[in-house]
Amino acid sequence: VLRIRTAHEHMQQLLSAAEQDEYDLDRTFVAFTGIQALHFNTYTAPAWESAVKSYEKSVAPVESRVASKLRSQFAALKGQPNQLMREFQRYRELVSQPHVMQELMAERDMLLGQLVSQLDSMRSEFNERVQYAGAKNTGRNLPDTVNDIVWLRQLSTKIQANLGLSTSLLRDLQR
């Protein structure tokens, strides 16, 4: 329910009022009429799955339009991997929809390439820092050991954030 509602809200944000009227975006939830989503069990599962499929079918043309709008937003951020990653994260539920995921294959591949490049630069920075340990002190009033620990924690947090996003959005891509 949350995934569908969040994706629907993102669609509303990206489409103008005229486009929402054109695609009749408010009527896409008609498939869920009479279904109580919070009373889900094995007996109501077929009705729920049928409603979800009907919803996905009715929203497919909207997803195509939204994918083209996202494509233009992502193209503007081509040389900025961190900002591009934030935009993908912002629209994560929408981009994870199968139809949108397929439409944005090139943009997701571009993000994957930028993430791999960023990871390579982090690796080379790590290797350089390990090789020249103690040569330069970048922290203020910190011993070298404490400075290295702080830097490694920051690096670890960056890598974990990239990994979390990439596994959810780029799971079907290979590099």
Side-chain angles (χ1 to χ4, degrees), residues 122 150-162:
M122 286 179 193
V150 169
W151 178 76
L152 283 172
R153 291 259 175 133
Q154 291 172 345
L155 186 64
S156 174
T157 302
K158 268 189 206 177
I159 291 171
Q160 287 175 352
N162 287 352

Side-chain angles (χ1 to χ4, degrees), residues 9 33 40 49 63 103 160 164:
E9 288 173 16
T33 304
F40 184 80
E49 291 169 5
E63 287 179 344
E103 292 250 347
Q160 287 175 352

Side-chain angles (χ1 to χ4, degrees), residues 22-132:
E22 177 186 341
Y23 291 112
D24 205 12
L25 198 58
D26 294 333
R27 305 243 333 124
T28 56
F29 285 115
V30 169
F32 296 103
T33 304
I35 295 177
Q36 296 184 6
L38 299 179
H39 294 262
F40 184 80
N41 58 39
T42 56
Y43 300 110
T44 60
W48 173 256
E49 291 169 5
S50 173
V52 169
K53 286 181 183 177
S54 177
Y55 169 79
E56 288 173 350
K57 184 179 176 184
S58 69
V59 83
V62 179
E63 287 179 344
S64 294
R65 178 67 182 135
V66 166
S68 69
K69 286 193 171 213
L70 285 174
R71 184 177 296 117
S72 64
Q73 280 186 4
F74 294 155
L77 302 171
K78 190 172 187 172
Q80 305 169 18
N82 290 331
Q83 187 63 29
L84 182 62
M85 190 168 33
R86 276 192 214 100
E87 285 297 306
F88 266 97
Q89 192 169 12
R90 179 178 169 195
Y91 296 111
R92 178 181 24 219
E93 289 82 8
L94 187 57
V95 173
S96 66
Q97 298 292 329
H99 186 73
V100 176
M101 189 181 281
Q102 187 65 31
E103 292 250 347
L104 296 175
M105 184 71 75
E107 288 74 16
R108 293 183 318 117
D109 194 37
M110 176 180 64
L111 176 64
L112 179 61
Q114 289 181 359
L115 287 175
V116 167
S117 173
Q118 190 176 39
L119 188 61
D120 288 342
S121 70
M122 286 179 193
R123 180 181 295 126
S124 66
E125 182 183 359
F126 175 79
N127 289 337
E128 180 181 318
R129 192 146 176 164
V130 167
Q131 185 177 8
Y132 300 111

